[in-house]
Amino acid sequence: FMEAFTPEFLRFLNKELPPNAAINASFSNFMFEYYQKENRLRRDIRITENRDFDYYILLARQSSFSEFDHALFTTNPRPYNTFRLDGVPLISIYKAKR
């Protein structure tokens, strides 16, 4: 189910996100909570389910997209970073506009 959340991806989050960054990963938030419990994701990274986030992590599973996810994916805003496999986007990270 979460094969896209690779060790490389988690290393990126741990290294690149600023201290106390808030992330929202929609239906995938539970995986990031698990990674924190397993000490694979920094403890200072806050996981939120509301719109008050610094980074939105979108797992490219269109069958499970919310309306918000669909709007992000189809309006093609420039992601902060994208993780791909053979050119296919698996995860896109969007930085909140403040």
Side-chain angles (χ1 to χ4, degrees):
F1 179 65
M2 297 295 165
E3 68 277 358
F5 296 159
T6 63
E8 174 189 7
F9 172 70
L10 292 173
R11 278 192 296 275
F12 173 84
L13 294 180
N14 285 324
K15 181 180 177 192
E16 299 296 329
L17 294 187
N20 302 308
I23 64 171
N24 183 331
S26 187
F27 72 93
S28 304
N29 276 340
F30 74 96
M31 284 305 303
F32 291 99
E33 292 167 356
Y34 170 78
Y35 289 138
Q36 279 186 327
K37 288 177 188 172
E38 292 293 312
N39 294 315
R40 295 179 187 187
L41 182 66
R42 288 187 351 235
R43 296 259 181 199
D44 67 288
I45 295 173
R46 295 178 294 120
I47 302 162
T48 181
E49 295 195 15
N50 61 41
R51 299 262 173 127
D52 185 26
F53 55 81
D54 301 308
Y55 298 89
Y56 193 80
I57 299 171
L58 180 60
L59 182 61
R61 275 194 203 277
Q62 294 184 39
S63 63
S64 60
F65 276 7
S66 67
E67 287 183 35
F68 181 77
D69 297 342
H70 194 313
L72 268 179
F73 197 74
T74 57
T75 59
N76 202 21
R78 183 172 165 82
Y80 172 73
N81 201 336
T82 301
F83 289 79
R84 301 173 184 272
L85 178 64
D86 292 332
V88 177
L90 300 179
I91 305 168
S92 294
I93 303 171
Y94 296 90
K95 190 171 184 178
K97 295 179 183 177
R98 304 268 177 195

